[in-house]
Amino acid sequence: MITTEGGGVTRRALLVGVGVAGGAGAMYAAMGALGLAPDRQQKDYAPPQRSDFALRGRGAAKVVILGAGVAGLAAAYELGKAGYDCTVLEARDRAGGRSLTLRGGDRLTELSGETQEARFGDGVYFNAGPARIAQWMVTLDYCRELGVPIELFVNDNPSAYVYNAGMKAPVRARTARADTYGYISELLAKATNDGALDKRLTSGDKELLLDFLSDFGDIGERFAYSGSERRGFQANPGADAPVLLGPPPAVSEVLGYGLGRSVAFPLSFEQAMPMFQPVGGMDAIARKLADAVGRDRIQTSVEVKKITNVPGGVEITHSGGSTTADYCVAALPPHVLARIPGNLGAQVTGALRTPQPVSAGKIGLEYGRRWWETDDRIYGGITETDMDISHIWYPSYGFHGPRGLVVGYYNLGSDADAYARLKHAERQSRAIDRGMRIHGGKYRAELLSSVSIAWRNQPHIEGAWVAWPSYESGFRLLQGPAGRVYFAGDWLTHLIAWQAGALESARKVVTQLHERVLKEG
Ligand code: PHE
């Protein structure tokens, strides 16, 4: 083994050493272990080929797919590449499932019976479901393959605000972060210097830590944090000298910001920048998938009533009659699927009942002036708050345009349930009341229109996503088929609440199904 002088192994030294001893294959495997190789998602999946059948002299099978959400559409798309005869049954009046983008003229009905009509102007859209894609997600591969143009999604913006209970007024994220890092660095540096960490650190380590803290917190010579340019300015630098914001508030006030959550957010693997969105609305992915599948193969407003394994096939009874096929891919939410009668068996039904629906809600607020850009100098990104709205999202598209749409809340769990119980008009006034505490009177005065969604109240979906109590038996059971019925959806992956989960699950099921068809016919 090649080592550095200090006895540690550098990444590069390790790779070179393995390459010499074991050849390229071993080197590649070692790169994977170190996280340097391309993601496994991209290597594993080989879509079924027409030639797979030609070689064996048999035809592709007929597959009925339940649900035209991203998982169902992707399954039909991938199977279709090899000539499988797919039919997709969708209970809602359009394909896409939760990948829902609302534009002017769209109608949205909830289980309560209340219907909203979006009155957004031209070019304004509201991603009511998924809205951001990480660069490592397979979703981007589908965007590339399907020709869906993408653009940056701003998931973190230091110019946005944080506003938590206990704060007198909203503070820019940059200011709050500077003060938090500054004081934490001051405290840790002083403790280190006073010998409080002597049991844990050598004197060399202490030097290194103090060096680090001095940069990290922008603290002064005697380890005191007294604020810096990182906080931002009252008047930005320009032709005239900048005017500093002034000294930071006292340490106890800064600790009261409770910034842990919002500081950690852009560090999380799934939420780190850069993130992306399809140009013109998230539903472009589902729409392109549906086009590629063939719109004639997708039957909307068809509700599944019964799922039966019959000898040599499956029979689906639905509101439009019945459909028989060789195989079925059930890509409905598990809690919805669990209620559909048939002969999947008690164990499978029990497993389908195990994951619990999670609530989430959003409101899209359309404004006739992009005041967050002109007045607040916020170009995309998210304000974090511990009020029941949780977040305010500023749009990552249409910069400098005549109008724009702000997401006035995106909340989960009990906050989402509280908004879900309200009529739309009440949701709007509550969201506006909260947002005004951050943005003032224009937040109400300049509002043009709004649409809200409570995912628990969406017909045939009844949840934003699900949570498994554990990835144990039920989760594992549903990775395989029940007779000739396969299951697909983000809820069967470790990427729940991402379209990437739906896509990866669809690929897995397509692979399993195709292998079986090649074996059994
Ligand atoms: N994908 C969703 C989002 O980005 C839900 C989610 C949030 C999933 C946070 C994981 C982590 O908002």
Side-chain angles (χ1 to χ4, degrees), residues 132 270-271 393 410 465 496-498:
R132 50 190 166 196
E270 291 166 355
Q271 301 288 354
W393 286 21
Y410 168 26
W465 53 82
I496 288 177
W498 295 99

Side-chain angles (χ1 to χ4, degrees), residues 125 127 131-135 150-161 173-174 177 262 265-266 270-279 282 362 370 372-373 377-384 391-400 405-407 410 498:
Y125 68 80
N127 284 334
R132 50 190 166 196
I133 306 169
Q135 58 191 333
I150 57 168
E151 63 193 357
L152 272 175
F153 176 88
V154 182
N155 205 31
D156 178 41
N157 185 345
S159 284
Y161 296 98
R174 71 158 44 75
R177 287 177 193 175
S262 67
F265 177 74
E270 291 166 355
Q271 301 288 354
M273 281 295 283
M275 295 191 82
F276 295 88
Q277 64 183 4
V279 174
M282 187 57 84
K362 280 187 184 179
R370 296 175 76 96
W372 52 93
E373 291 170 4
R377 288 283 172 168
I378 297 173
Y379 285 69
I382 302 174
T383 282
E384 298 288 346
H391 318 271
I392 294 176
W393 286 21
Y394 310 96
S396 294
Y397 71 95
F399 298 107
H400 291 175
L405 182 132
V406 165
V407 176
Y410 168 26
W498 295 99

Side-chain angles (χ1 to χ4, degrees), residues 7 34 46 54 70 122 124 148 201 217 309 320 364 378 383 399 402 406 432 440 477-478:
L34 291 175
V70 171
D122 274 357
V124 174
V148 173
L201 299 177
N309 273 295
I378 297 173
T383 282
F399 298 107
V406 165
I432 291 288
L477 179 72
L478 298 172

Side-chain angles (χ1 to χ4, degrees), residues 158-450:
S159 284
Y161 296 98
V162 292
Y163 185 52
N164 290 342
M167 289 171 65
K168 290 184 216 112
V171 173
R172 301 266 188 186
R174 71 158 44 75
T175 313
R177 287 177 193 175
D179 291 348
T180 304
Y181 293 177
Y183 278 126
I184 286 176
S185 298
E186 171 178 334
L187 292 168
L188 187 51
K190 285 181 172 166
T192 304
N193 203 47
D194 290 349
L197 296 176
D198 283 0
K199 283 205 191 118
R200 299 174 190 274
L201 299 177
T202 67
S203 58
D205 290 342
K206 281 169 46 175
E207 282 307 309
L208 293 171
L209 179 58
L210 291 173
D211 272 357
F212 170 83
L213 293 171
S214 129
D215 290 334
F216 181 73
D218 217 1
I219 52 179
E221 298 240 315
R222 313 178 78 157
F223 312 128
Y225 175 66
S226 55
S228 74
E229 289 191 356
R230 285 186 190 171
R231 308 188 75 235
F233 300 94
Q234 251 175 70
N236 288 336
D240 295 323
V243 181
L244 281 169
L245 263 189
V251 62
S252 57
E253 190 173 332
V254 169
L255 290 174
Y257 290 172
L259 266 198
R261 182 180 69 132
S262 67
V263 166
F265 177 74
L267 302 176
S268 85
F269 185 69
E270 291 166 355
Q271 301 288 354
M273 281 295 283
M275 295 191 82
F276 295 88
Q277 64 183 4
V279 174
M282 187 57 84
D283 64 348
I285 299 173
R287 277 194 283 116
K288 286 273 192 174
L289 278 172
D291 291 344
V293 166
R295 295 280 175 171
D296 52 326
R297 293 186 173 278
I298 303 169
Q299 299 174 25
T300 52
S301 303
V302 168
E303 205 177 326
V304 174
K305 302 283 188 204
K306 196 170 178 196
I307 303 169
T308 318
N309 273 295
V310 295
V314 285
E315 184 179 340
I316 307 301
T317 313
H318 52 77
S319 55
S322 91
T323 302
T324 54
D326 301 306
Y327 295 97
C328 172
V329 176
L332 304 179
H335 44 283
V336 174
L337 201 47
R339 293 200 303 257
I340 300 176
N343 62 356
L344 295 178
Q347 241 196 325
V348 165
T349 305
L352 289 169
R353 280 204 196 105
T354 307
Q356 295 304 304
V358 171
S359 304
K362 280 187 184 179
I363 191 166
L365 304 172
E366 185 198 28
Y367 289 93
R369 181 175 77 87
R370 296 175 76 96
W371 47 261
W372 52 93
E373 291 170 4
T374 53
D375 304 4
D376 295 89
R377 288 283 172 168
I378 297 173
Y379 285 69
I382 302 174
T383 282
E384 298 288 346
T385 172
D386 62 1
M387 290 186 285
D388 58 16
I389 57 170
S390 291
H391 318 271
I392 294 176
W393 286 21
Y394 310 96
S396 294
Y397 71 95
F399 298 107
H400 291 175
R403 311 165 165 239
L405 182 132
V406 165
V407 176
Y409 62 78
Y410 168 26
N411 50 19
L412 309 181
S414 56
D415 287 338
D417 288 331
Y419 278 85
R421 283 191 287 272
L422 305 176
K423 289 210 163 70
H424 169 70
E426 296 163 316
R427 292 176 192 165
Q428 178 193 295
S429 63
R430 189 152 158 179
I432 291 288
D433 166 79
R434 309 298 193 257
M436 280 174 69
R437 299 183 204 174
I438 297 168
H439 287 296
K442 65 194 168 196
Y443 205 77
R444 172 174 290 147
E446 301 192 26
L447 182 71
L448 289 184
S449 71
S450 73

